[in-house]
């Protein structure tokens, strides 16, 4: 029986424990950083307009007049949904006018602009969505079956499926960075104060770090899985 380590019920593997600890620390550190940065800049008033107002202006200025702006429940749950081509902004960012609210609203508008302009990495990411939905729900089951039945082909298939999730996380990075760049560029070009520009950059950099941490964690997990499989063949 190959030794796949802690987490799959086949003994405790120090390398896996280290991976779990590193992932947790990275995740908690970046989450804490975005929360505190957001909190800081949500206390700083913008130029009087709400997040939705500025996002609307950014959309209109970029030929996205048909993109809707809707509200969504929760804290920092803001996102762009390509299915109905709408921005979903949380209450505080929709009607709030802080520097942080404007930054987040414009970041989501940046995703709509990416779609409108046919931004290449956005198209790659969208094409990966159905594959990733399948691979994320399947890989663990296939992996456990491969280990339990001792079928190398199944564990290899599981790792290939998992690799699609990793690829997705990596492709997400330039998409997120580009949306933030578009947001900061718009905030600057629209003549808002330097404080707005600086705050937007801080908030969106902190948000980007959470995506970097997620990608790094999944890369480490892939390396670990590959290492385990290699060793079990020796
Ligand atoms: Zn985004």
């Amino acid at each position: 029986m190959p030794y796949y380590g802690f987490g799959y019920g086949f003994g405790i593997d120090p390398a896996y424990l280290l991976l779990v600890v590193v992932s947790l620390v990275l995740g908690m550190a970046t989450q804490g950083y975005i929360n505190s940065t957001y909190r800081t800049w949500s206390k700083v008033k913008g130029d009087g307009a709400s997040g939705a107002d500025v996002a609307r202006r950014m959309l209109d200025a970029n030929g996205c007049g048909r993109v809707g702006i809707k509200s969504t429940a929760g804290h920092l749950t803001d996102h762009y949904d390509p299915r109905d081509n709408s921005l979903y902004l949380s209450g505080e960012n929709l009607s709030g006018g802080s520097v942080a609210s404007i930054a987040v609203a414009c970041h989501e508008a940046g995703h709509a602009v990416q779609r409108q302009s046919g931004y290449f990495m956005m198209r790659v990411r969208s094409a990966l969505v159905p594959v990733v939905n399948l691979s994320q729900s399947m890989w663990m089951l296939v992996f456990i079956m491969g280990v339990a039945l001792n079928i190398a082909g199944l564990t290899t298939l599981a790792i290939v499926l998992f690799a699609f999730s990793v690829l997705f996380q990596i492709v997400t990075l330039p998409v997120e960075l580009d949306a933030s760049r578009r947001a900061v560029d718009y905030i600057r070009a629209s003549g808002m104060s330097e404080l707005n520009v600086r705050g937007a950059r801080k908030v969106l950099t902190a948000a980007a770090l959470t995506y970097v941490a997620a990608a790094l964690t999944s890369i480490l997990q892939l390396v670990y899985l590959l290492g385990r499989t290699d060793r079990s063949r020796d």
Side-chain angles (χ1 to χ4, degrees):
M1 170 77 73
Y3 175 55
Y4 278 102
F6 181 73
Y8 306 109
F10 299 101
I12 293 176
D13 177 8
Y16 189 79
L17 270 180
L18 182 67
L19 174 69
V20 170
V21 170
V22 169
S23 306
L24 276 176
V25 169
L26 259 179
M28 278 162 60
T30 51
Q31 205 57 50
Y33 185 57
I34 176 64
N35 283 337
S36 81
T37 308
Y38 180 85
R39 209 178 309 121
T40 301
W41 288 96
S42 65
K43 290 174 192 146
V44 182
K45 280 242 155 292
D47 292 355
S50 69
D53 292 337
V54 183
R56 181 75 269 158
R57 293 205 294 259
M58 179 174 164
L59 290 169
D60 292 345
N62 285 280
C64 297
R66 295 176 68 174
V67 175
I69 300 180
K70 299 172 181 172
S71 70
T72 187
H75 173 66
L76 287 181
T77 46
D78 311 74
H79 60 279
Y80 165 68
D81 193 335
R83 288 169 299 182
D84 64 353
N85 199 22
S86 296
L87 309 191
Y88 285 83
L89 302 179
S90 59
E92 55 199 326
N93 294 331
L94 185 81
S95 52
S98 72
V99 168
S101 295
I102 291 166
V104 173
C106 287
H107 170 92
E108 302 311 334
H111 285 307
V113 177
Q114 285 174 334
R115 186 189 179 181
Q116 168 76 19
S117 61
Y119 173 57
F120 178 69
M121 293 309 280
M122 172 77 137
R123 297 214 312 265
V124 173
R125 189 178 184 275
S126 302
L128 280 172
V129 168
V131 186
V132 170
N133 284 342
L134 183 76
S135 71
Q136 272 176 347
S137 59
M138 295 281 293
W139 86 268
M140 186 66 100
L141 182 69
V142 176
F143 188 80
I144 290 171
M145 275 169 57
V147 174
L149 305 173
N150 202 10
I151 302 173
L154 277 184
T155 49
T156 304
L157 175 65
I159 291 169
V160 170
L161 288 172
F162 183 72
F164 274 104
S165 305
V166 179
L167 180 65
F168 186 71
Q169 307 254 40
I170 293 169
V171 169
T172 295
L173 290 179
V175 176
E176 292 303 325
L177 292 175
D178 180 78
S180 292
R181 183 190 57 76
R182 287 173 198 265
V184 173
D185 283 357
Y186 177 76
I187 291 169
R188 186 190 289 112
S190 65
M192 297 182 86
S193 72
E194 189 49 40
L195 191 66
N196 271 282
V197 178
R198 190 151 51 89
R201 204 181 285 125
K202 295 249 184 202
V203 169
L204 297 177
T205 301
L209 286 179
T210 63
Y211 288 100
V212 173
L216 208 59
T217 299
S218 61
I219 290 169
L220 285 176
Q221 206 172 343
L222 180 63
V223 169
Y224 173 82
L225 287 174
L226 289 170
R228 290 279 88 181
T229 310
D230 247 21
R231 227 182 297 172
S232 72
R233 283 193 190 126
D234 292 343

